[in-house]
Amino acid sequence: PSLSRRRVCRACGHGAMGERLLPAWLLLPSLLFAASSVCTATAFPPGCYPAEEGGLKTFRCSHARLTEVPKDIPNDTHKLYLDSNRIPFLPHDAFRDLPLLLELDLSHNSIAGIESGAFRGLADHLRSLDLSSNRLVSLSKEAVGHLKAKVNLSDNPWLCDCRLQELIRAVALAAGSAGGIVCEAAALEEHVGKAFLQVIAHTDFCNAYKRTTDIAMLVTMFGWFAMVISYLVYYVRQNQEDARRHLEYLKSLPSKQRRSEESSTVSTVV
């Protein structure tokens, strides 16, 4: 009886252990999913997270203290917020792996330079680009001129010149942003502090630059021409002086020798 009881107890023990292990096996898929979610989340820079807004996949990195564009942005992102960071520069192909991007917010950073290929791959689908409140002084039209997006360039310390004029004519400005493009510096003091669109309504910076270039070229050409003429005059006078001294020397020689050398001198001068 005691042996049979021990066997029954062992069987009961194994059964109880099986009941305890069964829920753990059932929870394993959930644990693996949670672990993968944690790994995916930790791949993003601190302060960055994916979301969904109005059916569009969004990636937010606002106020994340970033100093460059993150590398691990999901490539199915539609809206990207990198505003209010410390990004100083946009390199070539900074957003090349985002084929579905529709909106890009880079406002309130420290961007002072943008390479011409920074927005490569975004031309066909990007519809909004915010570069406001940065440190842009000058920007070539090649950097953003190929985009179809509405561009916000307001609140930057712009140098008002031909380059900015070409940029403004090459992009589609975001609604209500034109008045915020103000001359921080300009060739004429009277333009400083004024809205750039107001200035170019009366001043064509590119024509003024062309006239200045043409005048500089004419002055340079005149300088070279004057140098050539001066050299020719000097050369002729120097030869004349040498010929005169030689003739005077010949006159001092006996008549027979003088005639032969005079003829050779005259032929040489001619």
Side-chain angles (χ1 to χ4, degrees):
S2 60
L3 179 61
S4 62
R5 278 198 299 271
R6 281 198 296 270
R7 286 176 180 173
V8 170
C9 290
R10 284 176 185 173
C12 293
H14 285 303
M17 184 181 295
E19 289 178 0
R20 287 197 298 271
L21 291 174
L22 184 60
W25 284 103
L26 290 174
L27 289 173
L28 184 59
S30 300
L31 292 172
L32 291 175
F33 178 77
S36 64
S37 301
V38 170
C39 292
T40 303
T42 55
F44 300 138
C48 299
Y49 60 92
E52 188 166 328
E53 300 177 1
L56 297 176
K57 293 191 175 181
T58 303
F59 192 73
R60 287 190 173 273
C61 286
S62 305
H63 301 278
R65 299 183 179 180
L66 299 176
T67 56
E68 63 179 2
V69 177
K71 305 296 183 185
D72 299 318
I73 302 171
N75 57 14
D76 59 350
T77 298
H78 296 110
K79 300 168 71 175
L80 176 58
Y81 292 89
L82 299 175
D83 57 298
S84 303
N85 283 289
R86 303 170 183 173
I87 301 172
F89 179 73
L90 297 181
H92 189 78
D93 288 334
F95 307 96
R96 65 178 179 178
D97 296 326
L98 300 173
L100 303 179
L101 194 62
L102 300 175
E103 298 180 18
L104 176 56
D105 189 347
L106 290 161
S107 64
H108 296 89
N109 273 280
S110 303
I111 300 171
I114 300 176
E115 286 193 348
S116 59
F119 302 109
R120 184 189 299 273
L122 303 183
D124 295 332
H125 46 84
L126 191 69
R127 64 191 186 192
S128 175
L129 173 61
D130 194 343
L131 291 169
S132 64
S133 300
N134 277 283
R135 297 180 182 176
L136 292 169
V137 174
S138 184
L139 181 63
S140 68
K141 64 179 181 180
E142 288 77 18
V144 293
H146 65 291
L147 298 175
K148 299 175 183 177
K150 299 291 184 181
V151 184
N152 188 344
L153 298 171
S154 62
D155 298 322
N156 281 280
W158 293 110
L159 168 63
C160 291
D161 58 1
C162 179
R163 200 179 195 202
L164 181 57
Q165 181 173 311
E166 289 181 340
L167 172 66
I168 297 301
R169 290 176 176 174
V171 300
L173 295 177
S177 68
I181 304 174
V182 177
C183 299
E184 180 78 12
L188 297 178
E189 188 67 26
E190 63 188 54
H191 294 155
V192 176
K194 292 185 178 180
F196 187 65
L197 291 188
Q198 177 186 352
V199 172
I200 60 174
H202 308 285
T203 303
D204 191 334
F205 287 93
C206 294
N207 277 345
Y209 174 77
K210 186 176 183 300
R211 285 197 299 271
T212 303
T213 304
D214 291 343
I215 291 171
M217 187 176 295
L218 287 173
V219 169
T220 302
M221 291 176 63
F222 178 78
W224 278 105
F225 183 73
M227 288 176 62
V228 171
I229 294 299
S230 300
Y231 175 77
L232 289 175
V233 170
Y234 170 79
Y235 180 79
V236 170
R237 286 182 178 178
Q238 187 68 27
N239 282 351
Q240 287 178 345
E241 184 66 22
D242 290 343
R244 185 184 62 78
R245 285 198 299 267
H246 192 62
L247 287 174
E248 289 178 354
Y249 167 74
L250 291 177
K251 287 177 183 180
S252 65
L253 295 175
S255 60
K256 194 179 215 181
Q257 183 180 1
R258 186 171 64 244
R259 278 196 218 99
S260 62
E261 292 201 11
E262 279 179 354
S263 62
S264 64
T265 302
V266 170
S267 64
T268 303
V269 171
V270 172

